[in-house]
Amino acid sequence: MQAVILVGGEGTRLRPLTYGTPKPMVPLFGIPFLERTLGRLKEAGVDDVVLAAGYLPRAIEDHLGDGSRIGMRVSYVVEASPLGTAGALKNLADHITESFFVLNGDVLTSLDLRAMIAFHREHGGVATLHAIRVDDPSAFGCIVRDADGRIASFIEKPPRHEAPTNEINAGTYLLERSVLDSIPADCKVSIERETFPDLIASGARLVSYVTDDYWLDVGRPEQYLQAHGDVLDRKLELAPSGDRALSSRGRMWHVGENGAPAYVRLPVFIGEGVAIDPSAIVGPYAVIGDRCRVGAGAEIRDAILWDGVDIGADARISDAILASDVSVGRSAHVTTGAVVGHGARIAADTHVDPNARIVAKAETAASPTS
Ligand code: GDD
Ligand code: MG
């Protein structure tokens, strides 16, 4: 079985984290999100993966290479300009020789891919779409199906009051190769807005595979924070333990566990080579990357720090995401939905605005697509 992972989006909703770091390389507990998705595929016996890339592809390729380090075959098809979620598939059709998975690159889920393969074989459509139920379907693709699971209509991001169902497209498809024939070549095509509705209209059999798995699209800061909180709360187990490349580099401490340092309020995750002043307070729900430093009296909770972040004395960090090599001055407050980009410096005593998006000066000038 082959798989395509769609990783060509610019990750605009995660800016400024995605200036310089493509969304699939955004870390989840220190490991790029994409590597965790590849781990799930490998576990399911899918080891031939094509990445449909476009935005900052070199950052992905530099990290994963041909996939041999993680025991997989990874190849890349890079779009000169975004071809859309179906155009991207048509563009790599030469690489596909059999039925194949398509995964949105920003989905965190406990979905059992092997069970989905079995379901697809049993129900025999040209496409099986993983679906889950959510409270507000308006930010997703709505899937209307009959009692047997056959899809009657697919409506991408309907206005909230017009959503016909709360069962939504969870961003994992199993497609027969013939689906590629229905996508026009060399143009921008959306699988959600064009290919699926067109296939349904033509009478093709598409089937919805509804599960109640853990599921989250981590493409926005709130969801990115929530994903870490949920893993710390053990709502979802991450990649198989034992394979270091696919597990965490640091250490997770859960509530009820003995041996956590005194400055820690559980649950937390602390990476390697971290220096925390004993008078600081870290947690609950703090994720501290490798080589971070936390000064005296500082407080960090409900926050994610990537690698090499420096937190000054008496600073307060909460409900915030700080990218790599950020430094926060003495007594500064970074709170309430703030997101700070790579290498940015927050001056001492600054209180950043709620939901602020802060970029380093040098980066503001750089083109986000370069
Ligand atoms: N190669 C390539 N080219 N990839 C793309 C392109 C493109 O032009 N456009 C988007 N992608 C990738 C993104 O990188 C992401 O991994 C995936 O396709 C989905 O794009 P998003 O931008 O994250 O879409 P969304 O979250 O608004 O909606 C999609 O996901 C929902 C579930 O999370 C849709 O598939 C919805 O129907 C679905 O419910
Ligand atoms: Mg998304």
Side-chain angles (χ1 to χ4, degrees), residues 13 23 106 217 219:
R13 289 164 291 191
K23 184 159 66 168
D106 55 2
D217 178 330

Side-chain angles (χ1 to χ4, degrees), residues 5-13 23-24 51-55 77 79 81-89 92 103-107 137 139-142 154-157 168-173 188-189 191-192 196 215-220:
I5 309 180
L6 294 168
V7 291
E10 293 186 9
T12 46
R13 289 164 291 191
K23 184 159 66 168
L51 299 181
Y55 177 65
V77 176
E79 293 148 49
S81 65
L83 288 171
T85 44
L89 300 181
L92 52 74
L103 275 63
N104 283 353
D106 55 2
V107 165
F140 304 105
C142 287
F154 187 110
I155 305 139
E156 182 69 5
K157 301 191 179 116
I168 61 117
N169 170 24
T172 300
Y173 323 127
K188 192 165 182 174
V189 188
I191 201 164
E192 298 90 347
F196 289 149
W215 184 89
L216 194 66
D217 178 330
V218 298
R220 283 171 290 168

Side-chain angles (χ1 to χ4, degrees), residues 11-370:
T12 46
R13 289 164 291 191
L14 272 184
R15 286 177 183 165
L17 301 176
T18 44
Y19 288 144
T21 302
K23 184 159 66 168
M25 295 304 292
V26 164
L28 190 65
F29 296 97
I31 304 286
F33 193 75
L34 175 61
E35 202 168 323
R36 299 198 178 274
T37 304
L38 287 168
R40 288 183 47 236
L41 285 165
K42 189 181 173 193
E43 231 186 345
V46 181
D47 56 9
D48 181 358
V49 179
V50 188
L51 299 181
Y55 177 65
L56 301 175
R58 199 169 303 160
I60 305 174
E61 208 167 342
D62 284 351
H63 182 77
L64 285 172
D66 63 1
S68 51
R69 179 175 60 81
I70 54 171
M72 301 180 80
R73 218 175 92 195
V74 177
S75 43
Y76 304 80
V77 176
V78 179
E79 293 148 49
S81 65
L83 288 171
T85 44
L89 300 181
K90 186 71 173 185
N91 189 44
L92 52 74
D94 289 350
H95 287 67
I96 303 297
T97 54
E98 52 190 272
S99 38
F100 61 108
F101 273 111
V102 176
L103 275 63
N104 283 353
D106 55 2
V107 165
L108 180 64
T109 178
S110 59
L111 169 69
D112 178 344
L113 293 167
R114 283 187 199 272
M116 183 158 166
I117 297 171
F119 179 94
H120 179 74
R121 292 202 171 125
E122 189 182 333
H123 288 78
V126 296
T128 296
L129 279 58
H130 178 221
I132 51 120
R133 299 182 186 90
V134 295
D135 291 336
D136 177 10
S138 60
F140 304 105
C142 287
I143 297 179
V144 180
R145 60 169 173 99
D146 67 17
D148 297 327
R150 182 171 183 156
I151 298 175
S153 61
F154 187 110
I155 305 139
E156 182 69 5
K157 301 191 179 116
R160 189 167 189 168
H161 58 282
E162 286 173 26
T165 168
N166 67 343
E167 289 182 5
I168 61 117
N169 170 24
T172 300
Y173 323 127
L174 224 175
L175 306 181
E176 289 305 312
R177 206 187 171 285
S178 62
V179 168
L180 296 172
D181 300 335
S182 68
I183 306 171
D186 303 320
C187 57
K188 192 165 182 174
V189 188
S190 160
I191 201 164
E192 298 90 347
R193 294 180 192 277
E194 296 165 72
T195 310
F196 289 149
D198 289 353
L199 282 168
I200 295 162
S202 74
R205 180 177 168 80
L206 284 73
V207 182
S208 179
Y209 178 54
V210 190
T211 75
D212 54 10
D213 277 289
Y214 178 90
W215 184 89
L216 194 66
D217 178 330
V218 298
R220 283 171 290 168
E222 310 85 75
Q223 278 69 25
Y224 180 60
L225 274 165
Q226 190 191 331
H228 287 81
D230 287 347
V231 172
L232 285 169
D233 280 340
R234 293 183 157 145
K235 289 183 184 155
L236 172 80
E237 285 291 323
L238 280 185
S241 52
D243 183 344
R244 195 163 180 280
L246 295 173
S247 65
S248 300
R249 285 185 303 200
R251 164 102 216 260
M252 244 177 247
W253 278 284
H254 294 285
V255 178
E257 205 169 324
N258 294 323
Y263 50 73
V264 153
R265 289 184 184 152
L266 302 174
V268 299
F269 171 87
I270 298 177
E272 291 176 356
V274 171
I276 301 175
D277 187 281
S279 66
I281 295 172
V282 169
Y285 301 100
V287 175
I288 314 281
D290 294 349
R291 302 178 309 282
C292 288
R293 310 186 70 79
V294 181
E299 211 178 316
I300 304 173
R301 57 175 192 73
D302 298 297
I304 300 168
L305 277 52
W306 292 8
D307 295 342
V309 174
D310 196 306
I311 305 296
D314 298 316
R316 183 165 305 162
I317 315 292
S318 69
D319 186 17
I321 305 166
L322 280 55
S324 45
D325 303 316
V326 164
S327 80
V328 176
R330 169 180 290 271
S331 300
H333 288 192
V334 183
T335 62
T336 335
V339 183
V340 185
H342 306 267
R345 299 185 173 279
I346 310 292
D349 299 311
T350 310
H351 290 198
V352 306
D353 292 334
N355 299 310
R357 300 287 179 265
I358 298 168
V359 290
K361 285 214 172 68
E363 245 173 350
T364 328
S367 159
T369 50
S370 65

